[in-house]
Amino acid sequence: MVADTKKGSPTDDDRTTGLARMMLRALLLAGAASWAAPAFAQDQAIAPDDGGAAPVVTAAAADEPAAQTTPPVASGEIVVTARRRQENVQDVPIAVSVVSGATLDAVGTYNIQRLTQLAPTLQFYSQNPRNTFINIRGIGAPFGLTNDGFEQGVGIYIDDVYYNRIASATLDFVDVERIETLRGPQGTLYGKNTTAGAINITTRAPSFEFEGKAEVSLGNLDFVQGKASISGPLSETVAARLSVTGTSRRGTLFDTYKSTYIQSQDSIGVRGTVLWRASPNLAITLAGDYNLQDPNCCAFAYGGYGPTQRAANRQYPALISYFPGYSVPSIDPYDRLTDADAALRARNEHGGLSARAVWDIDDANTLTSVTAWRYWDWSPANDRDYTGLPIYTAVNNPTKQNQYTQEFRFNHQGDGYDVVFGLFGFYQEIRTSGLQQTGPAASRWLLAPPSGGVCTPTATALACNPAVLNNVVAINDIRLDNTSLAAFAKLNWEFGRLTVSPGIRLNYDNKDGLYDSVVTGTASDGTRQVVSAAPGSPYFSDPWTAAQRGVQASQFFEPQYDAWNLSYDVNLRYEITDDVNLYANYARAFKTGGINLNGVPADANGAPILAAGTIEPEKVDHFEVGIKTQFLDRRATLNVTGFWTEIRDFQANVTNGQFGTIRGYLANADKVRSRGVEADFSIRPSAQFNAYLSGAYTDATYTRFTDAPCPPELSGGTTVTGSQVPGPAGVPGSLSPANCDVSGQVLPGVSEWTASWGAEGNVPSTLFGEEGQFYLGYDASYRSDWSSNPSPSIYTNVEGYSLHNFRGGFRTDRFDAFAWVRNAFDQDYIDLLLAGTGGNTGLIAAQVGDPQTWGGTIRFNF
């Protein structure tokens, strides 16, 4: 068949994309039309299923220390909406943990990063808000710098609205009711096809009784945090809630170059919600939020040196010696010193609007519509060479995103069964305007040194001429248009004590991308020229532009991806007794394919290898069995889960081995596996004491990945050819393999052993005439060592550590005043280790965890 090349003649892909966008527009229009529902609403009370006020958590969850002044109800029931209907968490046949807003406030968990200390199998890593990734059980997102063209494996939902970019979900929590963390694939219940799990955040709904609260926290490092919310009726049918939060803290890392602290916290969040009970069986909730994070951030400290296979005169110790008078501020990362000479910025602004309508058609049927728009504006500035030398003077990728979502769900409650049907539409537009610029130290750092390594006044080596690489500038235009449509359904069918829950999802994804990097540099004749990778282009043979091309060259390509896929799962639950449930799950899930938008490897003629422009979807087979139990009159809970997840075509972040490459690209590893056991225990023998213990063993490995990027100790030398044998690891001047077989090695970012535990006790008493409780609480977490490099490296293995937190104070129904200390024993620990930029120099950069912090909080309810 010959393609029609006439201008304006649509291809099959054009027709498919156009159809998809027409369907999305139809969904959005239907969402808008759903506001006509009041005319058809029947005069009856709002059913609690999937609408109205948020469910009430009536006791501490398995991983949740209590922060209430009143004792729990005897039933110990925790009501959640993890499966799009209200049910006791102990009846949900999946691994799910619940943390209430009261607990978040008590233990000082005010963002997702701190949530990891309460959820052992949740991993959170962040170089800055954009380069942030969240994993569950070691899977979810490729470990490395963010690439706009792929999807997250862990879905973030706030009040039913999907947040596509993790950067837009790094906000401080605002007036949270509860957080449910669901582990394992969730695509048959949630709008986006999340394959590793979902974090489902529910904020407090507007109240028809006047209420409010305010709190202020002060601490060391100039920590100041304020929170306030107020809610009440505007009329008999309309209620509103307004919540604000603000956090400020001095940085934990001192930049000796600029004589200022960096890694600070500076954020503000505002959220407003209006609930309109349009009729007794129709509730419409309108919400809007604005969040701004503008810290002096982000940089790394010197983390060490690990020899590579690069020539000794091009490794870190030799390179540093080429700059007389320069030395790092400290070789101990725990001195918390750096010397970032480039400008730093991490301004992260995001917000949005949503409209949620819940119509209880009758006692058995509920229709829910969720319409939302969100935006994200990322304005960064980075020092990506991790030194105080002007090697890279700018590596910035400011990004703007708009996303639109529309979801419909229809819940039907039958005799012995219930079912949820859903339609989901998503459109995302990302525009990134990148900048990368080298400085006067780049030639000496990045180019081959002269014989003997000494630059004399008469030396002609390009490395001795700062002008060769000074002011080489890459202007990157990166675009993504991303459309996703899905239909899904979930059935719960009861056969006595056995409940069978099959689910299905049909998904269509289309991604259209553009990557256009125009690199310009100064040629040897003093003119500014485009640095082209194509032989025969102007100035291609010029020695200066040839040297510049070895660091970075212009590149243009337009990747495109579209595909349909089918997911399905089945959950089995058997109720042995009212307090003991067994369950087993199988899920076949997909994480949609993606496109590379950070550049791709080039062929011998300098042209981009277009086959690397797209990545295949992940194919997930997930198995899970577990038992959920309660005993001691439901004052004790013990839940145990075993899981086994296999992923084919795992989406991994790799590098192409080109000298000077900064940003990696996405590729598919053959197969990975994550398996393990999780256990959660909690006990509340009386209203005066509660305790909890959660732990997990996770074995997450590359089952087969034979062409992975090599770790630093096996990189940097001349690549082997023919029958040549690679040299020993970490020996300068050795031959390097073209790629490495990491089959059987661990996935990055996941510890084999993790745990969290804590307890709280209280004594009823009276203070200043107020009846209340004196209380003392303790929380701790532990993780064993883990790999901080996509291919495990002897230089980037992070040692295990434990963190311990204490709090104590006095509370009544009206106020709570307490002191707290976090990382009480001032444990030195690492958040992240990275191999330094510049081509296998052996430099290791370290992101150091927070030191001991302490302070006090006072909270009022009215």
Side-chain angles (χ1 to χ4, degrees), residues 473-716:
V473 178
I475 303 296
N476 302 324
D477 181 8
I478 304 172
R479 306 179 188 182
L480 172 68
D481 292 283
N482 182 8
T483 302
S484 182
L485 300 170
F488 55 94
K490 187 73 171 180
L491 170 67
N492 298 297
W493 202 341
E494 297 179 1
F495 300 91
R497 289 187 173 270
L498 175 67
T499 302
V500 180
S501 304
I504 192 169
R505 175 190 185 89
L506 179 63
N507 206 88
Y508 172 75
D509 291 284
N510 177 274
K511 292 180 171 69
D512 291 306
L514 178 145
Y515 180 85
D516 185 9
S517 179
V518 179
V519 182
T520 56
T522 303
S524 57
D525 63 2
T527 62
R528 293 290 291 177
Q529 299 295 332
V530 173
V531 181
S532 174
S537 61
Y539 284 81
F540 183 84
S541 299
D542 178 77
W544 285 32
T545 54
Q548 294 161 10
R549 185 169 59 250
V551 175
Q552 187 166 1
S554 302
Q555 191 175 88
F556 176 87
F557 60 98
E558 294 181 281
Q560 194 275 338
Y561 173 87
D562 71 281
W564 294 86
N565 64 61
L566 183 70
S567 303
Y568 48 89
D569 61 21
V570 61
N571 310 99
L572 303 176
R573 179 175 71 91
Y574 185 75
E575 187 179 19
I576 298 176
T577 70
D578 290 343
D579 295 326
V580 179
N581 285 280
L582 293 175
Y583 68 91
N585 302 327
Y586 168 72
R588 178 64 187 269
F590 289 82
K591 186 166 84 171
T592 183
I595 56 179
N596 273 301
L597 291 176
N598 280 349
V600 295
D603 62 20
N605 292 319
I609 300 175
L610 298 181
T614 59
I615 52 172
E616 293 299 313
E618 292 183 351
K619 294 90 173 176
V620 182
D621 286 292
H622 174 77
F623 305 85
E624 189 168 307
V625 295
I627 183 171
K628 296 189 174 187
T629 67
Q630 288 184 298
F631 48 97
L632 298 180
D633 195 23
R634 295 192 176 181
R635 295 183 181 275
T637 300
L638 175 62
N639 298 334
V640 180
T641 301
F643 62 91
W644 187 300
T645 304
E646 294 185 346
I647 303 177
R648 289 182 291 119
D649 293 325
F650 179 75
Q651 295 169 359
N653 198 64
V654 303
T655 56
N656 60 16
Q658 287 181 306
F659 172 62
T661 295
I662 286 184
R663 307 186 69 82
Y665 68 100
L666 295 171
N668 292 105
D670 293 335
K671 191 175 182 180
V672 303
R673 180 198 64 217
S674 178
R675 60 184 179 184
V677 179
E678 303 162 341
D680 301 295
F681 173 73
S682 68
I683 187 168
R684 181 190 285 270
S686 71
Q688 276 65 58
F689 180 78
N690 70 83
Y692 71 97
L693 169 63
S694 298
Y697 166 78
T698 306
D699 173 24
T701 60
Y702 294 105
T703 306
R704 178 178 170 80
F705 194 8
T706 58
D707 56 350
C710 293
E713 61 268 27
L714 288 171
S715 303

Side-chain angles (χ1 to χ4, degrees), residues 311-610:
N313 63 1
R314 302 192 67 191
Q315 295 204 35
Y316 182 76
L319 292 171
I320 289 295
S321 72
Y322 299 154
F323 298 89
Y326 175 76
S327 62
V328 295
S330 174
I331 60 172
D332 183 354
Y334 299 116
D335 286 341
R336 302 178 188 276
L337 299 175
T338 192
D339 56 350
D341 59 307
L344 297 178
R345 193 182 190 197
R347 189 180 191 277
N348 188 38
E349 178 187 336
H350 50 99
L353 301 170
S354 66
R356 182 174 185 267
V358 181
W359 177 25
D360 291 316
I361 301 170
D362 52 37
D363 290 339
N365 299 289
T366 299
L367 179 65
T368 301
S369 170
V370 183
T371 307
W373 161 75
R374 296 206 60 79
Y375 80 96
W376 169 46
D377 190 349
W378 166 240
S379 302
N382 300 295
D383 188 350
R384 207 36 75 66
D385 57 51
Y386 309 125
T387 74
L389 298 170
I391 304 167
Y392 289 99
T393 54
V395 183
N396 311 325
N397 284 277
T399 296
K400 295 182 181 295
Q401 172 195 283
N402 283 280
Q403 74 165 57
Y404 305 85
T405 56
Q406 174 62 52
E407 183 170 357
F408 291 107
R409 292 196 305 273
F410 178 75
N411 293 55
H412 173 72
Q413 180 70 52
D415 185 11
Y417 74 94
D418 63 82
V419 64
V420 178
F421 298 99
L423 295 174
F424 177 76
F426 168 85
Y427 175 72
Q428 173 192 45
E429 182 181 87
I430 297 180
R431 299 292 183 262
T432 299
S433 302
L435 169 67
Q436 180 176 304
Q437 182 173 357
T438 51
S443 295
R444 199 71 178 96
W445 191 273
L446 297 175
L447 300 181
S451 177
V454 178
C455 284
T456 65
T458 60
T460 59
L462 296 181
C464 298
N465 187 346
V468 175
L469 292 187
N470 187 34
N471 198 30
V472 175
V473 178
I475 303 296
N476 302 324
D477 181 8
I478 304 172
R479 306 179 188 182
L480 172 68
D481 292 283
N482 182 8
T483 302
S484 182
L485 300 170
F488 55 94
K490 187 73 171 180
L491 170 67
N492 298 297
W493 202 341
E494 297 179 1
F495 300 91
R497 289 187 173 270
L498 175 67
T499 302
V500 180
S501 304
I504 192 169
R505 175 190 185 89
L506 179 63
N507 206 88
Y508 172 75
D509 291 284
N510 177 274
K511 292 180 171 69
D512 291 306
L514 178 145
Y515 180 85
D516 185 9
S517 179
V518 179
V519 182
T520 56
T522 303
S524 57
D525 63 2
T527 62
R528 293 290 291 177
Q529 299 295 332
V530 173
V531 181
S532 174
S537 61
Y539 284 81
F540 183 84
S541 299
D542 178 77
W544 285 32
T545 54
Q548 294 161 10
R549 185 169 59 250
V551 175
Q552 187 166 1
S554 302
Q555 191 175 88
F556 176 87
F557 60 98
E558 294 181 281
Q560 194 275 338
Y561 173 87
D562 71 281
W564 294 86
N565 64 61
L566 183 70
S567 303
Y568 48 89
D569 61 21
V570 61
N571 310 99
L572 303 176
R573 179 175 71 91
Y574 185 75
E575 187 179 19
I576 298 176
T577 70
D578 290 343
D579 295 326
V580 179
N581 285 280
L582 293 175
Y583 68 91
N585 302 327
Y586 168 72
R588 178 64 187 269
F590 289 82
K591 186 166 84 171
T592 183
I595 56 179
N596 273 301
L597 291 176
N598 280 349
V600 295
D603 62 20
N605 292 319
I609 300 175
L610 298 181

Side-chain angles (χ1 to χ4, degrees), residues 235-281:
S235 70
E236 291 185 354
T237 59
V238 178
R241 178 178 292 274
L242 179 65
S243 306
V244 297
T245 182
T247 302
S248 175
R249 192 186 76 177
R250 193 203 75 190
T252 57
L253 191 64
F254 188 75
D255 184 355
T256 60
Y257 188 90
K258 305 184 189 73
S259 297
T260 187
Y261 283 97
I262 59 176
Q263 316 296 67
S264 64
Q265 295 181 9
D266 188 354
S267 63
I268 186 170
V270 181
R271 185 177 185 86
T273 311
V274 176
L275 170 62
W276 175 33
R277 290 183 174 171
S279 71
N281 60 334

Side-chain angles (χ1 to χ4, degrees), residues 699-774:
D699 173 24
T701 60
Y702 294 105
T703 306
R704 178 178 170 80
F705 194 8
T706 58
D707 56 350
C710 293
E713 61 268 27
L714 288 171
S715 303
T718 302
T719 303
V720 298
T721 59
S723 60
Q724 290 180 319
V725 178
V731 175
S734 299
L735 294 173
S736 294
N739 45 53
C740 286
D741 185 352
V742 298
S743 303
Q745 299 189 41
V746 297
L747 289 175
V750 58
S751 296
E752 192 172 42
W753 297 97
T754 54
S756 61
W757 64 94
E760 183 182 293
N762 66 76
V763 177
S765 186
T766 302
L767 181 66
F768 303 125
E770 294 278 351
E771 293 186 0
Q773 303 168 344
F774 284 102

